[in-house]
Amino acid sequence: MKITEKDVEQVAELAKLKLTAEEKKTYGAQLKDIIGWMDELNKADISKAEADSYALGNKSVLREDIPEQFADTEALLKNAPDREFNFIKVKKVIE
Amino acid sequence: MKAISIAQKVRSGQIKAVDITREYLDRIKEKDGNINAFLEVFNKSALKKAEEVDLKASQGKPLGMLAGVPVAIKDNMLYKNHKMTCASKILENYISPYTATVVEKLLKEDAVIIGRTNMDEFAMGSSTENSAFMKTKNPLNTQCVPGGSSGGSAAAIAANMAVISFGSDTGGSIRQPAAFCGVYGLKPTYGSVSRYGLAAFASSLDQIGPFANNPEDLRLAFSAIKGYDAKDSTSREYPSREDKQDIKGITIGVPEDHFIKKLNDEVKKEFANMKESLQKLGAKIAPINLPNAEYAVSTYYIIASSEASSNLGRYDGIRYGINSKKAQSLADSYKLSKGEGFGPEVKRRIMLGTYSLSAGYYDAYYIKAQKIRTLIKADFNEAFKKVDIILTPTAPTAAFKFGEKSNDPI
């Protein structure tokens, strides 16, 4: 499996992660190594196995959707890097 | 002193929670400069809680099962108005806006929470060397790592700087540091402990559990935190098991597969001794096979990284965490904040996880890993038809030296 610099850039873009030129090189090489080890999994016979994303079986747990007041909204807002009154401030979304 | 005796004596007024708390805070002050188990010691709130416990005791009010017991928590559990960083620069200044269910339960049982412990950044690693802030030393041999990712919690117990501590385990992060530090650790059954207020790494695997210096305390700690929580849809109420004090007549399964033969000699020897001791005590040893277990590490690595890449998407520098000053646009702000805030191991796992979830590779990696997960599970179900418990060594080696494994990404 070859992993090109373009592949690394595309993955970083999907992850919304800024990488330096050096990081791109490092992660490109490591990604290739790790993916290489994962090829070991091709030995397993998965022809009869179902994919399982749950540790306990996929039983949905439903409940009524009842809104509740969060105890301390100020504590939440305090963690925001930028705010104005009771709003979290972000950079312009549409230019 | 055991947690059980501390709680008993505090309840009966024989000892003061404040005195016990001071004793542990003093010991941390004396020893932790060398070990670095704690990222922060909660001197003030710990003493305040201890005073409350003593007041309740003096008024004859009922006290919880952990009355006055000094407890440390891994730095990925929320405790309102206290810092929580996941040992990451990205959360360096984060203050918990609410309290995790586990911590809530500990406080309700009158435990005294004395501090937050060091860990691999976002619980990714097995040596605690991936902490953005400091390296924790193994109290048994300070040249060695304490294991990870809950290395600080294990070291705190080994150095007697806490009576009980808590960690989280996704792929061995309680079990392995407990083994490396020579203490007891329990990774409970997934779902038996609420994850509400635990910073998510890989949600289908994460589970909180205790460390202690003896199995009785481990059990006490587990009974304090377990149980269904409406705030965690994966949590369950499991029926209590019948107590078995006697090992006689219990069948212990020991895997005979290839992976178990890859142990180093020291571990092999200890493991053989353990089997023999259990046999002498009357247990029956039965060979079992877990044919798909050899795929467990690779399968885990794909699943955990995939879930992590999704879970860690939230650290975009908007609602919390560091926000890059260099960003010109909103899209830039996400990317730069993550680029500046996350350490190398976290970035590596986000990259692998994003890759294995991306179009074109999803079936080859993520779905395949999910299928093998089913096979691994089936192996265990099959084995448990024949045996009561399964015995394996916790790790293939004992604690290693600093830097020894840092070039090995897995």
Side-chain angles (χ1 to χ4, degrees):
Chain A
M1 169 68 72
K2 239 186 100 180
I3 292 183
T4 63
E5 199 181 316
K6 231 182 105 199
D7 294 332
V8 174
E9 279 169 3
Q10 197 210 341
V11 174
E13 175 63 31
L14 287 170
K16 295 273 173 277
L17 187 61
K18 178 84 182 168
L19 298 180
T20 63
E22 200 179 321
E23 282 177 324
K24 277 182 207 166
K25 249 188 165 159
T26 313
Y27 295 130
Q30 288 175 344
L31 212 54
K32 188 179 151 272
D33 284 349
I34 297 170
I35 296 291
W37 291 321
M38 300 306 159
D39 285 342
E40 171 202 17
L41 296 180
N42 294 333
K43 288 190 289 172
D45 177 13
I46 54 167
S47 54
K48 289 188 194 109
E50 290 204 27
D52 182 2
S53 3
Y54 305 87
L56 303 168
N58 51 354
K59 189 183 139 227
S60 288
V61 180
L62 301 174
R63 59 167 171 78
E64 290 302 314
D65 189 14
I66 305 162
E68 263 176 70
Q69 181 72 42
F70 186 77
D72 188 357
T73 44
E74 182 54 31
L76 290 173
L77 286 160
K78 265 190 191 152
N79 277 310
D82 203 3
R83 70 183 275 196
E84 206 168 300
F85 308 112
N86 279 342
F87 299 99
I88 292 169
K89 237 173 128 176
V90 295
K91 288 202 159 44
K92 216 188 262 177
V93 179
I94 301 163
E95 293 296 332
Chain B
M1 207 179 345
K2 283 183 182 177
I4 291 178
S5 340
I6 293 175
Q8 214 168 27
K9 288 187 174 154
V10 167
R11 277 195 296 261
S12 64
Q14 275 172 278
I15 55 169
K16 294 252 171 280
V18 166
D19 293 339
I20 286 285
T21 304
R22 283 225 174 87
E23 180 192 325
Y24 277 82
L25 292 176
D26 287 348
R27 196 169 303 128
I28 294 170
K29 206 185 252 171
E30 178 204 332
K31 284 173 126 179
D32 204 37
N34 184 34
I35 303 295
N36 283 341
F38 286 88
L39 282 167
E40 190 187 350
V41 181
F42 301 145
N43 286 294
K44 239 172 105 184
S45 61
L47 284 168
K48 192 168 160 256
K49 175 71 187 183
E51 279 164 15
E52 282 168 27
V53 171
D54 287 335
L55 184 68
K56 276 207 258 180
S58 70
Q59 292 169 338
K61 287 188 184 158
L63 281 166
M65 62 171 102
L66 293 171
V69 176
V71 165
I73 53 174
K74 187 177 182 177
D75 195 26
N76 59 356
M77 299 171 204
L78 296 177
Y79 179 14
K80 191 170 159 58
N81 296 331
H82 293 73
K83 251 192 193 184
M84 186 212 69
T85 72
C86 290
S88 178
K89 247 171 46 188
I90 213 161
L91 286 176
E92 200 167 5
N93 299 308
Y94 184 78
I95 313 276
S96 303
Y98 62 95
T99 299
T101 298
V102 160
V103 179
E104 198 84 69
K105 286 188 173 208
L106 293 173
L107 293 169
K108 214 183 115 230
E109 295 299 340
D110 292 311
V112 173
I113 297 173
I114 54 171
R116 54 185 174 94
T117 56
N118 198 25
M119 57 188 276
D120 285 302
E121 184 177 0
F122 282 102
M124 296 175 185
S126 20
S127 66
T128 311
E129 289 167 292
N130 294 332
S131 164
F133 303 118
M134 61 188 195
K135 288 189 181 16
T136 298
K137 292 179 195 159
N138 190 321
L140 300 182
N141 176 352
T142 51
Q143 310 238 301
C144 291
V145 302
S149 66
S150 313
S153 289
I157 296 297
N160 200 18
M161 296 188 288
V163 178
I164 290 171
S165 67
F166 290 86
S168 61
D169 190 314
T170 305
S173 281
I174 291 173
R175 292 161 284 177
Q176 183 254 23
F180 276 18
C181 291
V183 302
Y184 291 83
L186 173 71
K187 186 251 159 191
T189 298
Y190 180 83
S192 56
V193 178
S194 167
R195 294 178 296 111
Y196 180 71
L198 171 75
F201 160 18
S203 307
S204 78
L205 295 159
D206 296 342
Q207 190 63 193
I208 295 173
F211 292 91
N213 265 319
N214 59 81
E216 290 84 7
D217 283 354
L218 212 54
R219 184 195 147 138
L220 178 74
F222 177 55
S223 49
I225 60 168
K226 68 177 183 166
Y228 170 73
D229 177 16
K231 289 169 177 156
D232 175 0
S233 66
T234 60
S235 79
R236 301 282 155 97
E237 193 67 60
Y238 285 96
S240 295
R241 296 237 181 151
E242 177 197 346
D243 264 354
K244 280 203 174 124
Q245 301 290 345
D246 199 348
I247 200 112
K248 255 190 206 111
I250 283 184
T251 309
I252 299 175
V254 175
E256 289 198 315
D257 306 273
H258 180 60
F259 75 93
I260 215 92
K261 293 181 180 123
K262 285 196 272 190
L263 306 169
N264 83 354
D265 292 342
E266 197 185 0
V267 176
K268 220 180 254 173
K269 202 177 123 220
E270 289 301 325
F271 187 56
N273 288 343
M274 172 63 99
K275 270 196 295 191
E276 211 185 288
S277 316
L278 289 167
Q279 243 166 340
K280 273 189 195 147
L281 288 168
K284 210 182 120 205
I285 304 283
I288 55 163
N289 286 102
L290 302 168
N292 293 291
E294 64 171 303
Y295 307 121
V297 174
S298 300
T299 303
Y300 157 77
Y301 205 73
I302 291 177
I303 291 173
S305 301
S306 300
E307 293 184 19
S309 76
S310 168
N311 273 327
L312 271 58
R314 73 191 66 182
Y315 300 101
D316 54 14
I318 303 292
R319 289 152 297 160
Y320 38 72
I322 64 163
N323 184 270
S324 173
K325 299 275 171 284
K326 289 185 224 151
Q328 301 292 321
S329 67
L330 185 65
D332 257 9
S333 149
Y334 297 154
K335 291 179 198 165
L336 286 163
S337 300
K338 289 178 183 184
E340 288 168 24
F342 287 138
E345 182 65 27
V346 175
K347 287 181 188 171
R348 177 159 51 235
R349 300 217 196 181
I350 290 175
M351 289 293 286
L352 176 69
T354 307
Y355 180 83
S356 62
L357 289 175
S358 66
Y361 302 103
Y362 184 74
D363 287 328
Y365 297 103
Y366 184 65
I367 294 294
K368 188 183 286 164
Q370 302 273 46
K371 288 184 175 173
I372 298 174
R373 179 181 197 160
T374 309
L375 297 177
I376 295 169
K377 222 155 85 173
D379 284 353
F380 278 91
N381 288 340
E382 197 53 42
F384 278 123
K385 282 182 191 162
K386 292 187 293 191
V387 301
D388 299 303
I389 54 178
I390 293 175
L391 182 75
T392 73
T394 311
T397 67
F400 47 86
K401 293 210 164 100
F402 285 95
E404 207 172 285
K405 301 259 163 103
S406 43
N407 287 326
D408 178 357
I410 293 189

